[in-house]
Amino acid sequence: MDEQSLTGFYPHILEQAANAVVVVDENDKVILFNSAAEQLWARARNEVLGAGISQLMPPMKEGQQTLMPGQSELDHLVGHNVELPIERPNNTRVWAEISVSRIQAEDETMRLVVAKNITLTKVHKAFRYQVLRAMAQTDSLTDVMTRLCQEIERIAPEISATVVRIDASGHLRPLVAPDFPSEHACLIDGIEIGPKISSQAIAAFRGEPVLVRDIEHDPGWYIGRQETLALGYKACWSVPIKTHEGSTIGILSFYYRVCRRPNKLHARLAEIAVSLCVLAMERADAFARIHHLAFFDDLTGLPNRSLLQIQANQAISQATRNNERLAVLFIDVDRFKQVNDSLGHPAGDILLRTVSARLREAIREVDILGRYSGDEFVIVLTQCDSVHAVELAGRLLAVLSAPCRIGEVTLNPAASIGISLFPDNGRDMDALIHEADMAMYQAKQKGRGCFSFFSGQLNQIAKERLTLETALRDAISSNELEIYYQPQINIESHQLHGVEALVRWNSTQLGKVAPERFIPLAEESNLISSLSQWVLNEACRQLAQWRQHGFAIPSISVNLSPADFQNLNLKLPQYLEAILRSHGLQPGDLLVEITEGVLMDSNPGTMRTLHEIHALGVRLSIDDFGTGYSSLGYLRHLPVHELKLDQSFVRDLDHDRATRALTNAVMHIGDSMELTVVAEGVEHPTQRNLLKAQGYQIIQGYLFSPPLPPTALERWLDENMSFTQWE
Ligand code: C2E
Ligand code: MG
Ligand code: MG
């Protein structure tokens, strides 16, 4: 067919066009109204033809009412695409996109109106806008979802919309159902997704929309069927809400009051709603994750310090209001660092998780538990007095000490607990935690696995401790420490056996501080390794210098702390080797004094270090021998070279037979194992004589010399080592 012959078909073409076509004459009377126009305006052609165009269009803007001859009401629309609302006689409204053009036919100017129904697009835009606006206004997922359902119901009043979530274990969790009574949620809550039961469960199971057209007669067993029917709902269409990765996280359902299927509008609404649900749910999850990260400890899942503080403060406010008491427990895992250092951080993590789980098990629902830092936990016991606190602390220590298997190793975890009470010890949480911390510290000193209550005296001690710690830190860095040297004499050969290096601190601020006071402090406050390094270096430097100056000093003994062996960062053997080398000394020039505490350390790292030091050629000496609780059997397996009889035995020698029997036994042990035995703290000739009679050869004590500064020791050597008579 050519164009010429097509002309005859124009009326048919117009009639069948998808868009509404309206033609008006120069008097604005409708002269053509196609079938799409009938549908759009919901009006029959014969009603409209011959009538004015104004009945089809919304009123024009003011100021444009008077028309000049030859003008049309539609002229202001010519050349534009406009979106206009169209009110229909059946009281419904549609949106149309309208374009108007002038057409010239012979000497008459007509207007051609082409209109397209854009209601769906328009509705969707508005819908999306409303829901997004809700999202911007509130963080609450329930509020956003409620708005979403309400918007759906506003656009399509025949729908009652609901949203359920699917939890991690695959169960339905009702989220919103604005049109339903709240009891309805209980019917759905906890339903497992599966091929039956409810349209939601099935939709979640299949991952695709499910229509139950007739709830009453649906063959699948339908939980809450009667209740749903009683509310007047007959059909339900459920659409899965899927993430971008394709997992179903929820279900959007449209309930209908008649048995039916969704229409095109419903399908479009569902499509948009589902994409908005994904957005809102993922956003809520992200918020929850951020919240969790900000307030919970990743490792143990417990509240972190911030949340703990918040919860604890709430507990205090409540206790104040109700005139109740509460207790704060500060719990520190014993020897945690050791586990971390020797078994590695993953093992440390397992221990912390075990401890936190055991603590959680042991407390009541109303109590507050949080991870304070590292290996420290805080529990706030509400409505709790000192009696209950003691009870619980005892129980906690017991449950914590149950064996815990980590890989190949079985540990018996222990903790020290400090307790402070509200309102007796303080009225705010910071103070109470601080006091419980101090009490915990005291518990640690009592021995591991103990608890202790806070007292005012403790506070004073803690303050002094802090001053001392700060001063000691400065002393180490500013060379305020010195070393005194005490000679050890061989009373058989009358020769100098060696010297022991003993650190001294004459603080400008605090005066003389005894090593018994500052060494334990250094051990607890992590200052010990810098102190030990300083002493080792200085003692070796001094020995090298003495040798250069011609003083025949066979060896130097340096005291090290258990902590030095637990500190794997220090790499003690390598450090010793480097120090000796830097001062031009031989490994045999140095003895390292350790206490039985080091030897009793079950830590495999410590044993390795001892063997490495021995292999290096540096000798090991057991200080204060006889005061520890260890069995003698272990001595056989250790690379030890020397025993130092503890001073307390020497002190009691001349008036206590039992002590004499003990010192005799120590001598025999040393002899039989071919170890050098040194008696220290010898002050009187009677003590020396008794020891000598038992076979002791090496003596250290005031009888010969107190520890001396280097120059004084040089004088002492000059004066005394030339004599051979020591009796
Ligand atoms: P220790 O290693 O058992 O040292 C012997 C202590 O006995 C020294 O006390 C010494 O001055 C004292 N003493 C020596 N002869 C006599 C005596 O005849 N009678 C009495 N009553 N006491 C005597 P000091 O210097 O106060 O040191 C005490 C403890 O501090 C040492 O005991 C040692 O465990 C520790 N210490 C000292 N210097 C260091 C050091 O550089 N590092 C480490 N980690 N600990 C050290
Ligand atoms: Mg010593
Ligand atoms: Mg000693």
Side-chain angles (χ1 to χ4, degrees):
M1 188 182 289
D2 59 12
E3 199 188 341
Q4 193 64 40
S5 45
L6 192 64
T7 330
F9 286 99
Y10 281 174
H12 296 288
I13 293 171
L14 276 178
E15 181 56 19
Q16 286 168 39
N19 288 343
V21 178
V22 182
V23 178
V24 296
D25 66 10
E26 30 184 26
N27 300 318
D28 278 344
K29 297 273 181 287
V30 178
I31 54 171
L32 191 145
F33 199 69
N34 75 350
S35 117
E38 281 186 304
Q39 271 180 29
L40 180 65
W41 271 274
R43 297 180 71 163
R45 189 170 314 177
N46 51 8
E47 254 179 64
V48 178
L49 288 175
I53 183 68
S54 55
Q55 59 169 336
L56 297 179
M57 303 291 268
M60 278 185 294
K61 283 188 217 147
E62 282 190 40
Q64 293 190 335
Q65 298 285 15
T66 42
L67 296 172
M68 305 295 283
Q71 274 192 331
S72 161
E73 282 182 33
L74 296 171
D75 280 354
H76 68 285
L77 300 176
V78 172
H80 307 288
N81 267 350
V82 286
E83 293 178 359
L84 292 175
I86 292 175
E87 305 291 342
R88 295 152 125 189
N90 57 4
N91 269 339
T92 58
R93 177 201 249 196
V94 289
W95 279 86
E97 186 187 80
I98 291 179
S99 63
V100 178
S101 38
R102 270 196 207 94
I103 40 178
Q104 197 66 38
E106 295 174 3
D107 54 353
E108 201 175 334
T109 311
M110 292 177 289
R111 271 70 182 176
L112 171 71
V113 179
V114 179
K116 189 172 141 194
N117 190 337
I118 54 159
T119 314
L120 278 187
T121 332
K122 196 79 185 163
V123 161
H124 300 152
K125 267 194 205 157
F127 175 42
R128 190 172 282 154
Y129 171 76
Q130 288 299 340
V131 179
L132 290 175
R133 200 166 72 136
M135 257 190 249
Q137 283 167 349
T138 170
D139 289 347
S140 151
L141 180 63
T142 321
D143 288 356
V144 174
M145 291 288 109
T146 305
R147 175 70 73 82
L148 177 121
C149 291
Q150 286 168 342
E151 279 300 309
I152 292 173
E153 291 162 10
R154 203 179 56 78
I155 296 164
E158 63 279 16
I159 293 175
S160 290
T162 68
V163 181
V164 300
R165 292 202 79 158
I166 295 163
D167 69 15
S169 62
H171 293 84
L172 303 183
R173 301 289 169 206
L175 199 58
V176 291
D179 262 7
F180 286 76
S182 54
E183 309 85 74
H184 191 77
C186 306
L187 294 172
I188 297 166
D189 196 15
I191 291 181
E192 194 173 353
I193 64 171
K196 280 185 169 187
I197 300 179
S198 78
S199 60
Q200 286 98 343
I202 305 169
F205 179 73
R206 293 193 195 151
E208 56 188 48
V210 166
L211 174 69
V212 177
R213 243 187 106 114
D214 181 0
I215 294 174
E216 193 175 358
H217 300 106
D218 193 82
W221 180 53
Y222 196 88
I223 281 201
R225 187 203 305 258
Q226 289 316 321
E227 292 82 349
T228 311
L229 290 170
L231 290 168
Y233 295 108
K234 298 232 161 65
C236 179
W237 184 50
S238 293
V239 183
I241 301 166
K242 289 188 181 182
T243 62
H244 299 296
E245 291 80 39
S247 56
T248 306
I249 52 172
I251 303 290
L252 169 75
S253 296
F254 291 173
Y255 284 85
Y256 299 105
R257 293 178 181 278
V258 290
C259 296
R260 61 164 293 174
R261 54 174 52 252
N263 64 19
K264 229 165 80 186
L265 173 68
H266 300 172
R268 260 310 267 157
L269 277 175
E271 192 184 318
I272 298 168
V274 160
S275 67
L276 290 169
C277 284
V278 174
L279 193 64
M281 285 174 164
E282 288 189 332
R283 177 171 165 272
D285 283 348
F287 273 139
R289 262 200 306 279
I290 292 167
H291 180 269
H292 201 270
L293 283 179
F295 288 112
F296 288 86
D297 167 49
D298 227 19
L299 179 68
T300 61
L302 293 180
N304 63 13
R305 191 193 277 227
S306 318
L307 183 57
L308 180 73
Q309 212 94 21
I310 295 168
Q311 292 180 336
N313 282 330
Q314 285 167 349
I316 289 219
S317 312
Q318 191 179 342
T320 313
R321 259 196 319 277
N322 302 346
N323 215 2
E324 289 164 358
R325 311 170 68 79
L326 54 80
V328 176
L329 273 62
F330 197 102
I331 301 153
D332 184 287
V333 180
D334 292 337
R335 302 184 198 283
F336 175 70
K337 194 175 168 325
Q338 223 169 302
V339 172
N340 239 355
D341 286 350
S342 59
L343 302 176
H345 284 261
D349 287 353
I350 296 176
L351 178 60
L352 287 179
R353 271 201 288 262
T354 308
V355 167
S356 72
R358 289 178 181 178
L359 292 177
R360 198 173 0 209
E361 279 277 289
I363 58 170
R364 299 165 301 173
E365 192 88 340
V366 287
D367 298 327
I368 297 160
L369 164 65
R371 182 171 175 206
Y372 195 68
S373 70
D375 61 342
E376 296 169 339
F377 298 84
V378 166
I379 296 179
V380 179
L381 300 171
T382 54
Q383 298 176 24
C384 175
D385 58 16
S386 57
V387 179
H388 288 111
V390 166
E391 233 172 62
L392 186 86
R395 204 167 64 238
L396 288 179
L397 292 177
V399 296
L400 285 181
S401 66
C404 159
R405 206 166 161 76
I406 300 177
E408 298 293 290
V409 188
T410 302
L411 295 177
N412 285 82
S416 303
I417 303 179
I419 308 168
S420 63
L421 299 167
F422 169 88
D424 315 52
N425 301 141
R427 302 196 71 90
D428 73 87
M429 203 27 82
D430 285 345
L432 286 164
I433 290 183
H434 179 63
E435 289 157 0
D437 184 9
M438 283 193 273
M440 181 282 293
Y441 181 74
Q442 197 193 35
K444 276 241 188 270
Q445 287 183 321
K446 278 204 268 178
R448 314 275 156 162
C450 294
F451 65 83
S452 182
F453 276 89
F454 172 78
S455 72
Q457 196 191 0
L458 212 58
N459 203 359
Q460 188 54 32
I461 295 170
K463 275 191 194 144
E464 284 173 12
R465 215 180 85 90
L466 191 65
T467 320
L468 197 65
E469 190 184 313
T470 317
L472 179 59
R473 200 178 296 275
D474 294 345
I476 297 171
S477 56
S478 65
N479 264 335
E480 208 174 66
L481 299 176
E482 300 170 81
I483 301 183
Y484 279 28
Y485 298 88
Q486 189 175 30
Q488 300 168 326
I489 312 296
N490 184 326
I491 50 173
E492 290 290 327
S493 66
H494 309 293
Q495 297 293 313
L496 181 69
H497 173 76
V499 293
E500 179 176 5
L502 294 156
V503 68
R504 293 289 175 266
W505 179 22
N506 190 359
S507 160
T508 41
Q509 186 190 346
L510 305 162
K512 280 190 177 151
V513 188
E516 267 103 350
R517 245 186 109 198
F518 70 84
I519 297 285
L521 183 75
E523 286 173 342
E524 285 145 17
S525 49
N526 284 336
L527 292 170
I528 192 66
S529 95
S530 33
L531 186 142
S532 298
Q533 290 175 52
W534 182 85
V535 172
L536 276 169
N537 186 48
E538 175 56 21
C540 289
R541 188 203 60 75
Q542 184 63 65
L543 180 63
Q545 185 184 323
W546 276 329
R547 296 248 174 105
Q548 268 177 9
H549 294 179
F551 292 100
I553 296 176
S555 64
I556 201 154
S557 298
V558 172
N559 295 280
L560 290 184
S561 289
D564 293 320
F565 292 82
Q566 287 156 12
N567 179 358
L568 295 187
N569 297 335
L570 177 61
K571 296 202 173 59
L572 194 55
Q574 288 85 334
Y575 183 77
L576 292 177
E577 195 179 8
I579 285 281
L580 287 165
R581 197 175 330 112
S582 74
H583 295 292
L585 296 176
Q586 298 302 311
D589 295 331
L590 180 65
L591 267 98
V592 166
E593 291 192 15
I594 52 176
T595 54
E596 281 174 272
V598 175
L599 305 174
M600 282 159 66
D601 191 343
S602 57
N603 188 331
T606 302
M607 277 305 134
R608 205 172 40 242
T609 308
L610 288 175
H611 281 282
E612 281 174 23
I613 292 174
H614 172 72
L616 195 66
V618 171
R619 285 167 293 165
L620 292 164
S621 166
I622 304 184
D623 205 355
D624 305 341
F625 185 74
T627 53
Y629 301 100
S630 45
S631 83
L632 290 175
Y634 71 90
L635 265 183
R636 279 184 299 138
H637 307 294
L638 290 169
V640 170
H641 182 266
E642 177 182 276
L643 301 180
K644 291 186 83 177
L645 177 71
D646 189 62
Q647 321 194 350
S648 60
F649 298 113
V650 176
R651 196 166 45 235
D652 298 338
L653 254 187
D654 48 2
H655 56 265
D656 187 50
R657 273 186 55 201
T659 306
R660 282 201 292 278
L662 272 171
T663 53
N664 202 26
V666 170
M667 189 65 234
H668 277 110
I669 293 167
D671 249 0
S672 62
M673 298 183 69
E674 296 178 346
L675 304 176
T676 311
V677 185
V678 179
E680 63 178 342
V682 180
E683 297 181 358
H684 303 292
T686 38
Q687 294 168 334
R688 180 206 45 205
N689 293 341
L690 284 165
L691 289 164
K692 192 176 178 194
Q694 289 186 341
Y696 283 84
Q697 292 184 349
I698 318 294
I699 303 284
Q700 177 183 347
Y702 296 166
L703 177 66
F704 298 119
S705 166
L708 296 169
T711 45
L713 184 84
E714 289 167 14
R715 262 198 314 278
W716 185 90
L717 289 171
D718 282 341
E719 284 163 17
N720 294 279
M721 292 325 289
S722 48
F723 298 111
T724 49
Q725 195 58 327
W726 289 93
E727 305 295 324

Coordinates of all heavy atoms in Angstrom, one line a residue, residues 623-624 646 680, ligand 3:
D623 N 68.8 -17.9 92.9 CA 68.9 -17.0 94.0 C 67.9 -17.4 95.1 O 66.9 -18.0 94.7 CB 68.6 -15.6 93.5 CG 69.2 -14.5 94.3 OD1 69.7 -14.8 95.4 OD2 69.0 -13.3 93.9
D624 N 68.1 -17.0 96.3 CA 67.2 -17.2 97.4 C 66.7 -18.7 97.4 O 65.5 -19.0 97.7 CB 65.9 -16.3 97.2 CG 66.3 -14.9 97.1 OD1 67.5 -14.5 97.5 OD2 65.5 -14.1 96.6
D646 N 69.4 -19.0 100.7 CA 68.7 -17.8 101.0 C 69.2 -17.3 102.4 O 69.5 -18.1 103.3 CB 67.2 -18.0 101.1 CG 66.4 -16.7 101.3 OD1 66.6 -15.9 100.4 OD2 65.8 -16.6 102.3
E680 N 74.6 -16.4 101.3 CA 74.5 -14.9 101.3 C 73.9 -14.4 102.6 O 73.3 -15.2 103.3 CB 73.9 -14.4 100.1 CG 72.4 -14.7 99.9 CD 71.8 -14.0 98.6 OE1 72.4 -13.1 98.1 OE2 70.8 -14.5 98.2
Ligands
MG3 MG 69.3 -13.6 97.4

